[in-house]
Amino acid sequence: MPSPQRSPRALHPAHAGRVRHDPRGAAFAYRKSVSTLGRRRFFGAAFALSSLLTPFLLGAVVGGVASGRVPPGIAAGDVLASWANPTSLVGGTLAVLVCAYLAAVFLCGDARRDGEDDLADQFRVHALVIAAVAGAVGLGGIAVLRTDAPTLFAGLTGRGLPVVVLSVIAGLAAPGLLLARHYTLARIASAVAVTAILIGWAVGQYPYVLVPSLTVEQAAMGRTTLTALLVALGAGALVLVPSRTYLYVLFQRPRASASEK
């Protein structure tokens, strides 16, 4: 986030507004509906906190499942230990770092496209620092997985190893691209790194949905339900994918200056 001491040029209204409201789109509506500074700060802080807690809790859920602490059945498992454990803490921390890193990487390109090169450089520094911290946490997480989630560790070092290697290569390439200010390529490399590690988690945990007792086959619904779900997802993708692509292209177009309008 830009500091209060930013120059007038770096505080271009369009860009500054996007930076403030990206973490939670709904914050825009709530903050615009109040007029006092105190309430605006309250809503801003509330949505900033929720933007931090959401990825952390999602990562904690992944950690609880991967470590075998979430058995199937209603009210099964320990209410606290299922989510408060070493693997969940590592997963939640990495999820927050990854979201912050991706945001900084993507904002580098946005800032440069808007002519805010100084702001792009600051986001670049943020991205590099967060990448270093995430790498350190990831290395420490290897030891945690080995002792606390042995099934996932075995899968990641076995059948999922090629995907993990791809994630590592892309993750190492992204900071280099950031240093060279190749922001578009850095976006692609960062996205590949994150996507690969998510795929690696699924491959490493296969065939389990809930380790170590519920497999994909056991959790699958009837063939008729699966077919209907596949058709619904395909139909939805026909509408969603083109519209999202068009929206992304619109946002990536350079902004016209006042003299060009």
Side-chain angles (χ1 to χ4, degrees):
M1 299 295 289
S3 62
Q5 290 78 22
R6 178 124 354 262
S7 64
R9 179 173 174 269
L11 283 177
H12 186 279
H15 187 76
R18 187 167 63 255
V19 172
R20 286 195 305 268
H21 300 137
D22 272 351
R24 301 294 281 178
F28 179 82
Y30 281 104
R31 293 181 78 246
K32 286 293 183 180
S33 66
V34 296
S35 56
T36 62
L37 180 60
R39 290 182 179 181
R40 291 173 67 86
R41 287 179 174 175
F42 170 79
F43 282 117
F47 280 93
L49 179 62
S50 65
S51 298
L52 178 68
L53 290 177
T54 298
F56 180 84
L57 293 178
L58 286 174
V61 168
V62 171
V65 172
S67 60
R69 292 182 170 89
V70 185
I74 300 176
D78 189 278
V79 175
L80 181 61
S82 292
W83 318 116
N85 57 78
T87 305
S88 289
L89 293 177
V90 170
T93 303
L94 278 176
V96 172
L97 291 172
V98 165
C99 289
Y101 169 72
L102 288 177
V105 171
F106 274 71
L107 285 170
C108 286
D110 288 346
R112 187 171 68 175
R113 188 180 64 250
D114 288 347
E116 306 291 350
D117 292 334
D118 57 340
L119 190 58
D121 285 339
Q122 292 206 16
F123 281 126
R124 181 170 66 100
V125 173
H126 293 170
L128 291 171
V129 171
I130 296 171
V133 175
V137 173
L139 289 175
I142 295 175
V144 173
L145 290 180
R146 186 172 184 177
T147 58
D148 197 55
T151 300
L152 178 60
F153 179 81
L156 291 175
T157 55
R159 72 172 72 89
L161 185 59
V163 186
V164 174
V165 170
L166 174 62
S167 177
V168 172
I169 293 174
L172 292 175
L177 293 169
L178 284 173
L179 287 172
R181 292 180 172 83
H182 295 311
Y183 296 138
T184 300
L185 293 177
R187 286 184 176 188
I188 296 174
S190 301
V192 169
V194 175
T195 302
I197 200 61
L198 291 175
I199 295 175
W201 165 53
V203 174
Q205 189 172 295
Y206 184 83
Y208 296 106
V209 175
L210 296 177
V211 180
S213 54
L214 185 65
T215 64
V216 174
E217 184 177 356
Q218 292 170 339
M221 296 175 285
R223 184 179 182 84
T224 302
T225 303
L226 291 176
T227 301
L229 181 61
L230 183 62
V231 171
L233 290 174
L238 291 176
V239 177
L240 182 62
V241 172
S243 60
R244 296 281 291 186
T245 302
Y246 180 62
L247 182 63
Y248 180 79
V249 170
L250 287 179
F251 272 94
Q252 294 306 304
R253 288 179 178 176
R255 294 180 182 274
S257 62
S259 60
E260 296 173 341
K261 294 181 181 179

